[in-house]
């Protein structure tokens, strides 16, 4: 799976900004090609779970953490 078309290299959003997401998970996501919050937000739980090192539980954790960030008013648009 590739997410290259979802990433915007000019976008300053950073995965490390997601509260509650470990640096280890950030590293796993980046290694899987997810390098921005915009790209992360575009993936559903199933797509996340298929990334090497994420799995179903990790995907749920990531989506919950991203949801908290969005609830706090962050927007990827």
């Amino acid at each position: 799976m590739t997410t290259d078309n979802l990433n915007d290299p000019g976008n300053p959003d950073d995965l490390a900004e997601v509260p509650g997401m470990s640096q280890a998970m950030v590293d796993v996501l980046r290694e899987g090609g997810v390098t921005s919050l915009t790209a992360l937000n575009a993936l559903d739980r199933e797509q996340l779970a298929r990334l090497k090192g994420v799995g179903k539980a990790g995907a749920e954790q990531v989506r919950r953490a991203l949801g908290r960030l969005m609830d706090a008013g962050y927007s990827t648009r």
Side-chain angles (χ1 to χ4, degrees):
M1 171 191 302
T2 180
T3 57
D4 292 342
N5 61 330
L6 299 174
N7 294 312
D8 177 4
N11 193 341
D13 61 356
D14 185 359
L15 297 175
E17 297 296 315
V18 180
M21 188 164 14
S22 70
Q23 185 61 48
M25 182 58 78
V26 170
D27 292 344
V28 165
L29 291 171
R30 286 181 178 153
E31 288 171 13
V34 182
T35 59
S36 70
L37 291 173
T38 302
L40 179 59
N41 195 43
L43 298 175
D44 63 26
R45 283 175 181 81
E46 188 175 299
Q47 290 169 312
L48 277 170
R50 286 193 302 244
L51 291 174
K52 183 178 179 181
V54 177
K56 288 183 180 182
E60 288 298 321
Q61 177 187 16
V62 168
R63 293 306 300 176
R64 280 193 306 269
L66 185 59
R68 286 191 297 271
L69 184 65
M70 297 302 165
D71 288 346
Y74 184 86
S75 175
T76 59
R77 301 206 185 254

